[in-house]
Amino acid sequence: MTAVTDTQATIAAIRREVAALHSELTRYQLVVWTAGNVSARVPGHDLLVIKPSGVSYDDLTPDNMVVCDLDGRVVEGEHAPSSDTEAQAYVYREMPHVGGVVHTHSTYAAAWAIRGEPVPCVLTMCADEFGGEIPIGPFAIIGDDSIGRGIVETLTGHRSRAVLMQNHGPFTIGRSPRDAVKAAVMVEDVARTVHLARQGGEPLAIPQGAIDSLFDRYQNVYGQAPQEAMS
Ligand SMILES: [Zn+2]
């Protein structure tokens, strides 16, 4: 294959993957209406593939995904890209190890974000997945790069692949779009369980040494990138 058709084949595969991954957002009830999106980096190119803005989840297809450059400008696609494209493009520009970004307003995670309260690491699966508390990012509104900047500033040097943007909701990153979707599912589950636990009393802490060993083991068992590669 020539380089051009090779690139087209790569983009076509990522269009299929990104379109299909949106069904996980609805399956796990992380989204309502059209709010929430998945994007993926096109490896080896300064491009990303993202959900079109305002299109129902039932109507998402590989063909209506939008290809943008890493400044958020449309390169290929008939629809306007998600309104979160600029924020996600900023993440891809600044965090070269990130292959996928997901954003939702999932209920429990957003509730912690409304309080501006990090989710404490009091559940072994939180230690496994996030290696510590799930942090809060700054309050930022759509319109400039402040959401992207807030995501990058909060997650740089942090084990967590999820940030709860204050008064808004979770953004998750991953080595791949599927990994970022998994983080979006897990952050909601952790946020819900810790919230429920607190209704009955004060959660018990997990010792830091145990958090560290749980995180290390899980990342290795599941063959994920070590923490250094994600920070
Ligand atoms: Zn949002």
Side-chain angles (χ1 to χ4, degrees):
M1 278 197 297
T2 67
V4 172
T5 56
D6 206 26
T7 300
Q8 287 308 315
T10 302
I11 290 174
I14 294 175
R15 282 175 172 277
R16 286 194 296 275
E17 184 181 15
V18 171
L21 280 170
H22 283 88
S23 65
E24 303 292 333
L25 304 188
T26 51
R27 179 147 75 111
Y28 291 100
Q29 299 185 306
L30 304 182
V31 291
V32 295
W33 202 240
T34 64
N37 49 72
V38 178
S39 72
R41 183 193 296 277
V42 180
H45 300 275
D46 287 337
L47 297 172
L48 63 88
V49 175
I50 194 164
K51 174 182 170 289
S53 181
V55 176
S56 166
Y57 288 100
D58 287 343
D59 297 330
L60 295 180
T61 66
D63 285 343
N64 62 25
M65 294 299 111
V66 184
V67 181
C68 294
D69 66 20
L70 296 191
D71 290 314
R73 288 184 295 250
V74 175
V75 172
E76 208 179 274
E78 290 166 16
H79 293 76
S82 160
S83 52
D84 294 307
T85 302
E86 272 190 53
Q88 302 198 9
Y90 186 95
V91 173
Y92 290 117
R93 286 205 305 276
E94 298 295 320
M95 303 181 98
H97 59 285
V98 169
V101 181
V102 173
H103 173 50
T104 79
H105 301 150
S106 64
T107 307
Y108 285 87
W112 287 84
I114 288 169
R115 291 198 305 272
E117 183 180 1
V119 181
C121 188
V122 289
L123 192 62
T124 55
M125 71 172 279
C126 185
D128 290 340
E129 286 290 340
F130 302 109
E133 70 172 22
I134 298 161
I136 296 290
F139 177 71
I141 53 172
I142 285 179
D144 54 25
D145 60 6
S146 60
I147 294 179
R149 233 177 25 243
I151 297 167
V152 170
E153 283 171 6
T154 308
L155 294 184
T156 296
H158 206 293
R159 286 174 174 172
S160 177
R161 305 185 332 285
V163 51
L164 307 178
M165 293 299 283
Q166 189 188 308
N167 300 97
H168 187 172
F171 282 80
T172 60
I173 57 173
R175 290 172 304 120
S176 65
R178 184 174 181 76
D179 186 37
V181 169
K182 182 187 179 197
V185 173
M186 295 301 182
V187 73
E188 176 63 5
D189 199 54
V190 169
R192 180 176 53 195
T193 305
V194 177
H195 171 81
L196 292 174
R198 284 218 310 204
Q199 308 313 301
E202 194 56 32
L204 302 175
I206 301 176
Q208 185 61 48
I211 291 173
D212 293 343
S213 64
L214 283 166
F215 182 68
D216 288 344
R217 193 183 63 160
Y218 189 78
Q219 301 303 309
N220 291 328
V221 165
Y222 285 83
Q224 296 188 358
Q227 187 247 324
E228 288 74 19
M230 285 301 297
S231 57

